């Protein structure tokens, strides 16, 4: 069988494929693509009813684009087939936020959750502590975000960011250009509006709601205190933090593991919810190509179950930093070995049950393009927050047919 993955996870999937092949009479060819081009390649093949990939991983924001036209195989019949796959798979052990977001569409199951990523705010605890007393005298509040709740809002974070910038410590912020912008505005939208979703359940834009403009205003302020915001992307902001050039960054779980490995959990860094308490939901699921031959679809399902089983959910986290999607993975032993896993456990951090959610709508690509272009222009010195959000709102309404 063939399996397609983003280049971000090539090493992890090659490892999993090799382990699977040792115990099963299946050869797996793993192909990786840059994340920026993977969706278009998948869509082009699926639209032409091709089967170059029997299974592939899908970003949470792609699910509507792939499940709505039923390009991918519904899994209820497979999950209910006692002769196929694992009898002890325990689908319900996947945390709801991941099972629903990565694999379900209009009442059907299409995918199995893999990599339950939720953005967090990581700060240099050791650096902030050196300035804690002075900051407290000046602002009468704590400089460190509490674990795991985080700063109450972005106003508090911004006060810390300006203070630290004046002390010679810039913050990390994603670039003024590029797709990553649509990861960071939703955190601020949700924090300011109290709404997890930028679209209503019936597909109407919420970008005109009170707080939407302030969410962008927060980013416009933060660019003044950030390190090289014009050219910084996901990898650069991660590496800036790792090399000790910034005191704070919003990042995903695999990056957080690197931060903890570098600086230590209690002494070096603190991980918390993004300010305001609505961290962006990321992560991936495994989908099966509807147009593959049935024998290959069966093999793909067995592999997908095995790769997302209880045992492999723990293994992928221990070996590759792939955040678990299962409640049973958050054991005492794992928390002791990887203390940052406490952040992703809803028993210890209920805040991850209500992340900010980018639209899974089938028109997401157009919605995202409109948002990132307009925000990029604003961050690069173009229109202000109010006009920019009005432009995006108008474009979204046009795309959604309002």
């Amino acid at each position: 069988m063939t399996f397609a993955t983003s280049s971000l996870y090539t090493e992890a999937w090659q490892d999993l494929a090799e382990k699977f092949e040792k115990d099963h009479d299946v050869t797996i060819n793993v192909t990786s693509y840059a994340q920026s081009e993977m969706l278009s390649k998948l869509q082009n093949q699926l639209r032409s009813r091709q089967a170059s990939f029997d299974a592939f991983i899908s970003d949470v924001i792609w699910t509507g684009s792939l499940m709505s036209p039923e390009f991918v195989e519904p899994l209820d019949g497979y999950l209910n087939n006692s002769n196929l796959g694992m009898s002890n798979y325990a689908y319900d052990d996947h945390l709801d936020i991941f099972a629903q977001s990565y694999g379900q569409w209009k009442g059907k199951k299409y995918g199995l959750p893999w990599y339950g990523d939720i953005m967090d705010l990581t700060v240099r605890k050791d650096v902030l502590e050196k300035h804690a007393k002075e900051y407290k005298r000046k602002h009468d509040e704590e400089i460190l975000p509490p674990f795991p709740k985080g700063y109450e809002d972005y106003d508090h974070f911004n006060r810390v960011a300006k203070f630290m910038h004046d002390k010679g410590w810039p913050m990390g912020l994603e670039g003024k250009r590029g797709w990553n912008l649509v990861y960071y505005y939703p955190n601020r939208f949700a924090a300011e509006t109290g709404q997890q979703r930028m679209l209503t359940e019936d597909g109407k834009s919420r970008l005109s709601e009170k707080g939407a403009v302030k969410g962008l205003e927060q980013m416009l302020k933060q660019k003044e205190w950030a390190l090289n915001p014009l050219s910084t992307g996901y990898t650069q902001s991660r590496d800036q933090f790792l090399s000790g050039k910034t005191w704070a960054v919003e990042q995903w779980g695999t990056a957080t593991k690197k931060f903890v490995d570098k600086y230590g959990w209690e002494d070096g860094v603190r991980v918390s919810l993004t300010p305001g308490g609505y961290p962006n939901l990321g992560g991936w699921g495994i989908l099966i190509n509807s147009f593959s031959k049935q024998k290959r679809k069966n093999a793909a399902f067995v592999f997908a179950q095995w790769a997302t089983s209880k045992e492999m959910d723990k293994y992928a986290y221990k070996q590759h930093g792939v955040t678990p999607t299962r409640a049973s993975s958050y054991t005492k032993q794992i928390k002791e070995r990887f203390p940052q896993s406490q952040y992703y456990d809803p028993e210890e951090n209920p805040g991850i049950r209500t992340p900010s959610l980018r639209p899974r709508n089938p028109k997401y690509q157009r919605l995202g393009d409109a948002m990132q272009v307009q925000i990029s222009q604003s961050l690069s010195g173009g229109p202000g927050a109010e006009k920019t959000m009005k432009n995006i709102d108008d474009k979204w309404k046009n795309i959604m047919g309002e």
Side-chain angles (χ1 to χ4, degrees):
M1 61 162 283
T2 55
F3 188 86
T5 179
S6 163
S7 56
L8 294 172
Y9 312 110
T10 303
E11 181 181 349
W13 279 108
Q14 287 179 338
D15 177 28
L16 291 170
E18 289 171 6
K19 289 179 68 68
F20 185 79
E21 288 175 335
K22 290 178 181 179
D23 298 322
H24 299 78
D25 186 22
V26 175
T27 298
I28 302 174
N29 296 314
V30 177
T31 304
S32 63
Y33 293 94
Q35 183 174 348
S36 60
E37 65 179 23
M38 189 172 174
L39 176 59
S40 60
K41 287 184 176 295
L42 290 171
Q43 287 179 311
N44 288 340
Q45 292 206 19
L46 294 168
R47 286 173 183 144
S48 60
R49 307 177 73 85
Q50 294 184 31
S52 295
F53 313 126
D54 301 306
F56 49 89
I57 63 170
S58 170
D59 195 322
V60 58
I61 55 175
W62 300 349
T63 54
S65 302
L66 298 172
M67 297 176 193
S68 180
E70 295 200 346
F71 286 155
V72 292
E73 191 81 351
L75 296 184
D76 289 282
Y78 293 78
L79 289 165
N80 296 328
N81 186 343
S82 59
N83 296 318
L84 187 64
M86 304 173 65
S87 59
N88 60 342
Y89 179 70
Y91 179 89
D92 291 340
D93 183 45
H94 290 293
L95 295 169
D96 287 344
I97 187 65
F98 303 138
Q100 294 169 7
S101 300
Y102 307 159
Q104 297 176 19
W105 185 260
K106 295 186 177 180
K108 290 184 180 181
K109 296 183 180 73
Y110 288 94
L112 300 180
W114 184 82
Y115 191 16
D117 218 3
I118 293 181
M119 187 174 282
D120 60 54
L121 174 69
T122 304
V123 302
R124 283 286 301 276
K125 181 173 178 282
D126 55 344
V127 171
L128 290 178
E129 285 180 333
K130 294 177 181 177
H131 301 280
K133 290 182 180 179
E134 182 182 355
Y135 182 85
K136 183 73 176 288
R137 286 195 301 268
K138 184 173 182 179
H139 292 287
D140 194 28
E141 63 187 5
E142 301 299 325
I143 196 171
L144 275 165
F147 173 83
K149 190 174 181 180
Y151 293 112
E152 182 179 3
D153 49 38
Y154 276 100
D155 289 334
H156 186 173
F157 173 79
N158 283 2
R159 286 191 291 273
V160 177
K162 183 180 185 306
F163 176 88
M164 292 302 295
H165 179 267
D166 292 345
K167 293 296 178 182
W169 277 94
M171 61 175 283
L173 186 69
E174 300 301 317
K176 296 178 185 176
R177 295 189 292 268
W179 187 255
N180 287 354
L181 289 174
V182 301
Y183 297 156
Y184 297 91
Y185 174 75
N187 295 345
R188 292 151 178 80
F189 170 88
E192 298 298 339
T193 64
Q195 299 280 1
Q196 285 180 266
R197 302 172 187 271
M198 294 180 289
L199 289 180
T200 63
E201 292 297 330
D202 57 351
K204 296 186 182 300
S205 172
R206 283 190 169 127
L207 296 182
S208 62
E209 293 192 10
K210 184 178 180 181
V213 171
K214 187 177 179 181
L216 181 53
E217 289 175 343
Q218 300 289 23
M219 293 182 73
L220 289 169
K221 293 175 183 177
Q222 289 155 12
K223 73 170 185 176
E224 304 301 325
W225 310 315
L227 179 63
N228 299 328
L230 181 61
S231 59
T232 306
Y234 171 84
T235 302
Q236 291 94 332
S237 64
R238 177 201 67 194
D239 291 346
Q240 287 169 358
F241 190 89
L242 277 171
S243 61
K245 295 179 180 178
T246 59
W247 70 272
V249 70
E250 292 171 69
Q251 279 278 3
W252 305 102
T254 50
T256 302
K257 181 180 183 300
K258 294 178 185 293
F259 302 154
V260 174
D261 290 345
K262 174 72 180 285
Y263 295 109
W265 174 251
E266 284 298 332
D267 298 329
V269 301
R270 173 162 291 180
V271 175
S272 71
L273 292 172
T274 53
Y278 291 91
N280 197 272
L281 178 68
W284 299 71
I286 305 178
L287 306 181
I288 297 173
N289 189 339
S290 287
F291 308 117
S292 294
K293 293 181 179 179
Q294 190 60 52
K295 184 177 180 179
R296 298 174 74 90
K297 286 192 283 193
N298 290 348
F301 174 72
V302 173
F303 176 58
Q305 267 205 325
W306 175 87
T308 61
S309 66
K310 289 183 177 182
E311 179 183 1
M312 300 316 297
D313 197 53
K314 297 183 185 74
Y315 174 85
Y317 185 51
K318 293 175 183 178
Q319 298 299 317
H320 301 286
V322 175
T323 310
T325 67
R326 290 178 169 274
S328 62
S329 289
Y330 295 96
T331 63
K332 180 180 178 180
Q333 292 77 11
I334 281 184
K335 289 177 185 178
E336 288 175 349
R337 182 176 172 185
F338 306 100
Q340 68 270 25
S341 65
Q342 298 169 56
Y343 174 81
Y344 300 99
D345 181 1
E347 295 301 316
E348 296 204 38
N349 181 14
I352 70 163
R353 293 193 177 104
T354 53
S356 64
L357 302 170
R358 290 164 286 159
R360 291 200 307 158
N361 190 280
K363 298 179 181 179
Y364 174 74
Q365 199 79 354
R366 293 174 61 197
L367 298 170
D369 286 344
M371 173 167 282
Q372 71 99 355
V373 168
Q374 294 291 320
I375 290 180
S376 174
Q377 290 175 355
S378 182
L379 291 171
S380 300
E386 186 170 357
K387 184 174 181 180
T388 296
M389 293 313 303
K390 175 66 166 56
N391 290 342
I392 300 172
D393 186 42
D394 288 344
K395 290 180 181 298
W396 276 30
K397 287 176 178 176
N398 181 261
I399 291 170
M400 298 305 296
E402 292 185 48

